[in-house]
Amino acid sequence: MSTARNPISRRGALIAGTAAAGIGIGIGGSAEAAAPAEHSRRRALTPLQQAGQRVIFSYPGLTPPQSLLDAISEGRAGGVIFFGENISSLSQIATVVDQLRQAHQASPVTAPLVLTTDQEGGQVRRLPGAPVLSEKEVGASANPEAAARDAGTGAGQNLAGVGMNVNLAPVLDVYRKAGDFADQFKRSYSTDPAVVGTLGKDFVTAQQATGVAATAKHFPGLGSASSSQNTDLRAVTLNVSLSQLHSTDERPYTSAIAAGVKLVMLSWAIYPALDSHLPAGLSPTVVQELRGRLGFTGVTVTDALEAGALSAFGTSAQRGVKAAGAGMDLLLCSARDVSQGEDTVTALAAAVQDGTLDRAAFDAAVQRVTALRNQLA
């Protein structure tokens, strides 16, 4: 973790879930119909506001600070990710979500905020209740497909209940052996990529039917990582052959994409078979693998910009610029520090203005994010 004030890694926080539930939302309406009006509105945005549409903020504790509310009301934030430390009760988190939405009413941006968390199931839950089973337990159940559908429905209803509209799940990592990185917290359905693909598809379809967008992660796959290869903490290189990446690790994504998954999160591991130097989420080659070979046209989202795996790539803001340049649409500033998001927005705006980031590619990313957000409530 790059932020001294928060020594807990993102995955450490993942295992430390918390409480809430209660209000409905949905993916509905026509993104195509809304796009022209939103495009006209967006052309009037300042560079900082345009950059802000690509950044997901986080904050410490139970109360959103005024700096976050200001960023939202001024149109400089695309959304917020919630962690266990942000939630104490059902009424509290529902009130927070309402507060963020009220701040957004003053924004020049009409597209709803992305309001997201990790509700995978098992140990990795922010909200109490569904899905209770972990992915491994789903895969080992008597009727895995029904269990995956139940988990997706439960996750979606749970998030919608407190006004959240994007879930950073399901995990599509294909674990290799008991106790490895993907298996140690029971976050993988199976060692069989076909099973992972089927159950991931079932989860995605069921969850998105509730109106909550799903996120397949961590492309192209962390299933070959050992128990000590945690990208939150350090650089990780996964020496998997290209044929194995295609036949095993990437295979579940074909099913999720066919099911219409709205977002894909890329990992921070390095895959020499694709790019020997850059972590996946900083690599144009890996992003093109997802968009070109697999045909994904939705929104790409980074894992935590403060991750230890990125220690050689500058500040969080500099990493955000590199990720945007590689083709990542949404940038996840999850250090529970509003200034991380603000610094990333400032760096993105400067990079577009000085030509570091291509303007056409930048606008295309904003359009993909806006199209997603216009489907959310």
Side-chain angles (χ1 to χ4, degrees):
M1 200 89 169
S2 61
T3 318
R5 78 181 278 180
N6 180 20
I8 300 177
S9 72
R10 172 166 151 74
R11 285 193 179 82
L14 284 177
I15 308 306
T18 303
I23 310 171
I25 63 170
I27 296 178
S30 168
E32 291 78 7
E38 182 62 28
H39 180 66
S40 175
R41 192 74 157 295
R42 191 172 61 251
R43 283 185 304 192
L45 299 182
T46 68
L48 283 175
Q49 290 169 333
Q50 292 175 13
Q53 305 319 299
R54 299 181 63 177
V55 178
I56 302 298
F57 282 65
S58 61
Y59 63 96
L62 298 175
T63 304
Q66 188 62 45
S67 57
L68 176 58
L69 299 177
D70 289 344
I72 291 172
S73 64
E74 293 166 12
R76 294 182 285 105
V80 177
I81 180 172
F82 301 95
F83 289 91
E85 70 177 81
N86 304 132
I87 302 167
S88 65
S89 70
L90 306 182
S91 59
Q92 176 267 337
I93 192 59
T95 298
V96 166
V97 168
D98 185 60
Q99 186 179 12
L100 298 178
R101 287 182 163 172
Q102 286 186 33
H104 186 58
Q105 289 179 1
S107 170
V109 179
T110 60
L113 291 170
V114 171
L115 299 169
T116 187
T117 194
D118 301 87
Q119 191 78 1
E120 299 172 12
Q123 297 179 65
V124 184
R125 290 179 290 168
R126 296 289 182 265
L127 309 178
V132 173
L133 297 182
S134 68
E135 288 196 3
K136 186 172 185 180
E137 289 168 335
V138 167
S141 65
N143 188 339
E145 293 183 32
R149 289 192 294 269
D150 288 346
T153 298
Q157 291 175 342
N158 213 351
L159 266 68
V162 294
M164 298 181 197
N165 51 24
V166 174
N167 189 10
L168 298 178
V171 173
L172 298 186
D173 298 333
V174 182
Y175 84 97
R176 302 304 203 265
K177 59 184 180 181
D180 64 14
F181 177 75
D183 182 60
Q184 61 183 329
F185 296 112
K186 306 184 188 307
R187 298 175 72 200
S188 173
Y189 290 116
S190 176
T191 58
D192 183 339
V195 171
V196 174
T198 296
L199 301 184
K201 169 185 64 67
D202 290 338
F203 184 102
V204 167
T205 302
Q207 182 188 276
Q208 292 190 163
T210 71
V212 174
T215 307
K217 62 185 185 185
H218 311 81
F219 186 85
L222 291 173
S224 63
S226 70
S227 60
S228 63
Q229 289 182 300
N230 184 343
T231 57
D232 273 354
L233 304 179
R234 61 184 64 85
V236 172
T237 297
L238 299 178
N239 288 301
V240 181
S241 70
L242 186 60
S243 63
Q244 190 173 30
L245 279 174
H246 288 173
S247 65
T248 300
D249 294 289
E250 295 181 12
R251 184 174 169 185
Y253 288 88
T254 62
S255 299
I257 291 168
V261 69
K262 301 293 184 182
L263 303 94
V264 172
M265 176 183 285
L266 276 74
S267 92
W268 287 138
I270 294 173
Y271 301 82
L274 293 170
D275 187 325
S276 60
H277 301 294
L278 294 172
L282 300 185
S283 170
T285 301
V286 179
V287 175
Q288 182 56 30
E289 176 85 354
L290 174 64
R291 293 220 183 270
R293 198 181 81 82
L294 275 67
F296 180 64
T297 59
V299 171
T300 52
V301 57
T302 70
D303 205 338
L305 285 178
E306 68 276 6
L310 304 186
S311 59
F313 296 94
T315 64
S316 282
Q318 291 169 330
R319 299 167 189 181
V321 171
K322 292 178 187 295
M328 301 304 296
D329 297 328
L330 278 176
L331 310 176
L332 188 59
C333 294
S334 57
R336 275 79 94 202
D337 185 345
V338 174
S339 66
Q340 181 195 26
E342 293 174 329
D343 291 346
T344 301
V345 170
T346 299
L348 278 181
V352 175
Q353 291 177 296
D354 68 19
T356 300
L357 291 177
D358 177 76
R359 166 63 71 177
F362 184 93
D363 287 346
V366 174
Q367 289 170 21
R368 284 189 293 270
V369 170
T370 300
L372 168 69
R373 290 169 58 185
N374 277 328
Q375 297 174 60
L376 305 174

